[in-house]
Amino acid sequence: MEPATLTPIPATTRIRIVNFILKSKMAAGDTFEDLVKDGVFETSFPLHKREEDLIKKWAQWRNMFHKQPIDEIRDYFGEKVALYFAWLGWYTYMLVPAAVVGVLIFLSGFALFDTSQISKEICEAHDIFMCPRGDHSRKYHRLSDTCTFAKLTHLFDNDGTVLFAIFMAVWATVFLEIWKRQRARVVLHWDLYGWDEDQEEMALQLINCPDYTLQPYQHSYLRSTAILVLSLLMICFLIGMAHVLVVYRVLVTALFSNLPILGEQVTTAVVVTGALVHYVTILIMTKVNKWVALKLCNFEKPRTFSERERKFTIKFFTLQFFVHFSSLIYIAFILGRINGHPGKSVRLAGLWKLEECHLSGCMMDLFVQMAIIMGLKQTLSNCVEYLCPWLAHKCRLRQGRMSQDPELKDWQRNYRLNSVNIFSLFDEFMEMMIQYGFTTIFVAAFPLAPLLSLLSNLVEIRLDAIKMVRLQKRLVPRKAKDIGTWLKVLETIGVLAVIANGMVIAFTSEFIPRMVYKYRYGPCRWGPRPEVDCLTGYVNHSLSLFYTKDFQDPDGIEDLEDVTECRYRDYRNAGDYNFSEQFWVLLAIRLAFLILFEHVALCIKLIAAWLVPDVPQMVKNKVLDEKYQRLLEKLRSSPRSTDV
């Protein structure tokens, strides 16, 4: 009888076993980390071996448009890394239709570039004078001076914006539901569908220490309350950082007003520099947030490593969300809405006037902020993410001589690669979650976001591949059957996107005022009139009247004696400057639209999630058949009972 052939143990399993032994306590009670601190060892890391095939198929820039070898990635780096790249590849693939629709919505604005009735009225309004907008602009300017910006605004603030926001809500749902199906197929192929991470952690602990006692789940209301309070305090601090950016913009506005070179472009300069400062703040606060999340996680005392990872993910993402999006929330929903009116302006500390929206509306401010942050974050971040490890690796290669012995030379080559840690893959996931948030949450104001994300991801996949295979030490493989807590993060972002886009359309864009004017105040309120555009007179209707004699500080305003009245963007009565009837009608309709939009979009998301099952029928049937075969085998192997 021939001896049974042994199944070879995969390299990833052998690395995991060795890593577990190194992380375990030795007979003397020390761990490997203790020996490193004592100077007995310097470091430990798995070696890159036989990675040439993976480099050829995957870790090269010329493979940018090629399919990823997910099974080979799994065999080399383990399931967790393979699932990250499988998810990233699917996300990039699904960005194609979103990017196409976003570009079409943006390009459809060109059809209105010269034919829009609103743009025509603004460009021809040579006799309408706008009130001075701030301390930096102490003179009147004609409404027609904003002609170019009015045309540009229609590129992303048009009737297609609502349809695109609903499309993106459906897209986010379909993307996640089909990913769940993709994930089920992959883990079934890897024979991990029924794998339990907690069970494996307990098994490893028992192998290491037969006297290991199970750590039960524990909950402390006092500790949970303390963590909640500390988290809220940190969130309040991050919101305060957003207010610091507001103060910065106000002070810079006052500073830039003294620079003649900027002229009427002070607001544009403030928006651009504010976005740059916000980007730098993001870089600094990311490191602070990681430290705070770690401390909170340690204080909570998770039971296992997987539980610790889940809790840390939730805390860190929550803090990062407020860092990245608090400034955008301010611009979208607060900027220019608490400033008062020309005769009675709200001032910071009684000195500096609060910042106004752009001449063409707040949507332009939000568009510019999104474009700058996404552009910087995805171009500079990718450059830094690649160049820093590449330069560090080149510097390490020049340190000392390489051995002539082939095996020792290979060890030296691996030693001089950049170090990795438990956050290496976590940071990649976090980067993609924030990008997904930018792609969906304010997409109504920036329809080009999916296109930028698509282009960035095509680079990101190969950049991460090159880093992991050629520039960094080999990651310790980890088993996984899904992307873990990140899936809940994606679902949460999808819901927030519906709410945020509904609020942007209702309160930031001009969509609702245009529709209300068209069917309540305009020439078509009694029915369609083919001979006239239904938005005729909208510009005059949307501007409030202010009498220049009511200025509290007329000194320094140019041409005051020649202008008796000026206009400003708001819905207020002339004379007493209280909110007009149109303002309250608009507010009611905005709120009604927001409720209707969110309910419709969320219902569509629920229907899409119901129509697309999480697990394919093929996978369900395969798992059911395996359970049936195991049950049959147990029944056949067990002695038959004759008892009745």
Side-chain angles (χ1 to χ4, degrees), residues 482-549:
D482 53 36
I483 59 175
T485 311
W486 297 116
L487 185 62
K488 295 181 180 179
V489 171
L490 291 168
E491 292 173 343
T492 303
I493 291 174
V495 175
L496 291 176
V498 172
I499 298 172
N501 284 309
M503 293 181 68
V504 167
I505 295 171
F507 296 103
T508 310
S509 82
E510 291 289 315
F511 175 76
I512 298 299
R514 288 197 301 264
M515 293 299 102
V516 171
Y517 177 81
K518 186 175 181 179
Y519 296 107
R520 182 179 175 87
Y521 301 106
C524 299
R525 61 184 179 275
W526 305 115
R529 296 176 57 185
E531 71 279 4
V532 65
D533 192 295
C534 292
L535 290 176
T536 301
Y538 170 76
V539 173
N540 183 66
H541 175 81
S542 63
L543 297 176
S544 295
L545 182 67
F546 181 80
Y547 296 107
T548 57
K549 62 182 179 62

Side-chain angles (χ1 to χ4, degrees), residues 383-403:
C383 290
V384 172
E385 189 178 347
Y386 177 74
L387 289 177
C388 287
W390 182 78
L391 292 173
H393 177 54
K394 292 297 182 183
C395 293
R396 286 171 177 266
L397 288 177
R398 296 181 179 181
Q399 295 175 0
R401 294 182 179 181
M402 299 291 284
S403 173

Side-chain angles (χ1 to χ4, degrees), residues 110-126:
F110 280 103
L112 304 173
F113 202 77
D114 293 315
T115 60
S116 168
Q117 177 64 28
I118 297 176
S119 298
K120 286 182 179 179
E121 291 186 2
I122 291 176
C123 295
E124 295 171 359
H126 303 291

Side-chain angles (χ1 to χ4, degrees), residues 147 153 342 575:
C147 176
T153 302

